[in-house]
Amino acid sequence: MSMRVATFNQMSSVLELAMNTQARLAEVQEQEASGLVSSDYGGLETDAGTVVDLSVTIARSNSLIDSAELIASRTEMISAALTEISDLLTNMRVAVNAVTSDEYLAELQTQAESYLEELSSILNTQYAGRYLFGGGETESEPVDISSYLATDLTTVNTDYYLGDSYIQTCRLGTDLSIDYGVTADSEGIEMAMRALSYIANSTTLSTDDLSDLSDLLVEAQDEVLALVTISGNATNRIENFIDSESSYVAELEEIAAGMTSVDIAEAAVEASAYETQLQASYSAISVLTDLSLIDYLNL
């Protein structure tokens, strides 16, 4: 009778071992299939808190990167628009310098009128549904030349401008803030608008004005090119942030992957070992369950 009790205990031990092996095999097979240590945080044990913190940080950084990429695209559009304005001013300077007598002034005025409309259109550029040159007024066109008239070359005139003085700022976290906005009443742009409006609308335009016009256009272009540089620098700083933050995210993702991922090849080897162990347990159970009463008595 004591041998039967001993055999029962042996059977219980083998069954328990088989059940544990089967549970571990199922776990390893799931890891092999998914490539993950666990399908939920609970299975990560002591690493769970760290992985959660990493996930939150990664999500926050990715959100900042998305915002920065949108703003970088916006600053690139601003730079492109300012470059167009500079090219327009170059063409206007060439036209002004080509006038040799009063007979060409009417043609010059027609060209200036066309350029004034083109400049207005550039300053009313939109990106992703926002006007770029209106400061904080991003929902409506910042420039309207329908009643704009510059009557002389020396008086600042921003009557065309409908926006405000707010400078758009890119806030990337708590430690980095980058100004990138350009308003259509900026000094160089105002000079360009004034020069073109004066040429297009003056009733007393003469070749005597051409030298002053040329000087004003040169000054306007210099200021616009300075804005191009400022906008380009803002783009570079934002892109540097994107690169740095992306590298940071990649590092965090690598750390998280080390805590949550398994080596598929190692998992396959481990699963094979558990399968062999489980087969041995099944064999042992088979032997024990085949013992008869005579087998017990003969033990």
Side-chain angles (χ1 to χ4, degrees):
M1 192 70 178
S2 61
M3 293 302 295
R4 294 179 64 189
V5 170
T7 304
F8 174 77
N9 288 338
Q10 187 178 8
M11 171 70 84
S12 298
S13 297
V14 173
L15 280 172
E16 183 178 359
L17 176 62
M19 292 175 64
N20 290 337
T21 301
Q22 188 174 33
R24 182 56 185 153
L25 174 60
E27 182 180 350
V28 173
Q29 286 176 329
E30 183 178 350
Q31 291 175 344
E32 183 183 3
S34 67
L36 299 174
V37 173
S38 174
S39 59
D40 55 42
Y41 289 122
L44 298 177
E45 300 179 349
T46 57
D47 288 335
T50 301
V51 172
V52 170
D53 290 342
L54 287 171
S55 298
V56 171
T57 302
I58 289 170
R60 185 185 302 117
S61 291
N62 280 331
S63 178
L64 287 174
I65 290 170
D66 290 343
S67 297
E69 287 176 340
L70 177 62
I71 295 172
S73 297
R74 198 176 296 156
T75 59
E76 288 173 351
M77 285 290 293
I78 291 172
S79 293
L82 291 170
T83 300
E84 282 189 67
I85 294 172
S86 176
D87 292 343
L88 182 152
L89 291 173
T90 295
N91 294 336
M92 195 66 230
R93 286 172 56 195
V94 170
V96 167
N97 293 332
V99 174
T100 57
S101 63
D102 290 349
E103 63 182 300
Y104 297 107
L105 290 177
E107 182 179 342
L108 181 66
Q109 287 188 295
T110 299
Q111 194 167 0
E113 184 178 2
S114 174
Y115 281 160
L116 183 61
E117 291 177 358
E118 183 178 348
L119 177 54
S120 173
S121 177
I122 293 172
L123 295 172
N124 285 329
T125 295
Q126 283 182 291
Y127 179 76
R130 294 164 56 104
Y131 288 95
L132 298 179
F133 292 97
E137 299 293 329
T138 61
E139 303 297 321
S140 56
E141 292 186 346
V143 171
D144 179 8
I145 60 172
S146 59
S147 58
Y148 172 63
L149 181 63
T151 57
D152 65 76
L153 294 177
T154 57
T155 303
V156 174
N157 186 339
T158 58
D159 290 346
Y160 61 87
Y161 186 58
L162 305 178
D164 58 29
S165 60
Y166 177 76
I167 299 300
Q168 295 289 341
T169 299
C170 173
R171 301 188 186 280
L172 301 173
T174 56
D175 301 326
L176 181 61
S177 180
I178 300 172
D179 292 339
Y180 70 89
V182 175
T183 56
D185 64 341
S186 297
E187 187 174 7
I189 295 174
E190 185 278 326
M191 289 178 182
M193 293 289 290
R194 189 197 322 161
L196 293 175
S197 176
Y198 180 83
I199 298 171
N201 298 298
S202 176
T203 59
T204 60
L205 185 66
S206 71
T207 53
D208 294 337
D209 296 316
L210 298 182
S211 178
D212 290 338
L213 278 169
S214 182
D215 290 343
L216 183 58
L217 289 169
V218 168
E219 191 174 358
Q221 187 171 32
D222 287 344
E223 293 293 336
V224 169
L225 288 174
L227 292 176
V228 172
T229 299
I230 292 170
S231 183
N233 289 339
T235 301
N236 290 336
R237 291 181 65 193
I238 295 169
E239 289 178 343
N240 288 339
F241 167 81
I242 292 171
D243 291 342
S244 175
E245 199 71 6
S246 296
S247 297
Y248 177 57
V249 168
E251 291 176 5
L252 295 185
E253 288 176 338
E254 186 175 350
I255 294 171
M259 294 180 174
T260 60
S261 301
V262 296
D263 186 309
I264 302 296
E266 288 183 6
V269 171
E270 190 176 359
S272 178
Y274 280 124
E275 286 174 351
T276 301
Q277 184 177 336
L278 189 59
Q279 299 250 347
S281 297
Y282 287 156
S283 296
I285 291 171
S286 176
V287 170
L288 290 173
T289 54
D290 284 344
L291 289 175
S292 65
L293 178 58
I294 294 176
D295 294 321
Y296 285 121
L297 294 175
N298 289 332
L299 292 175

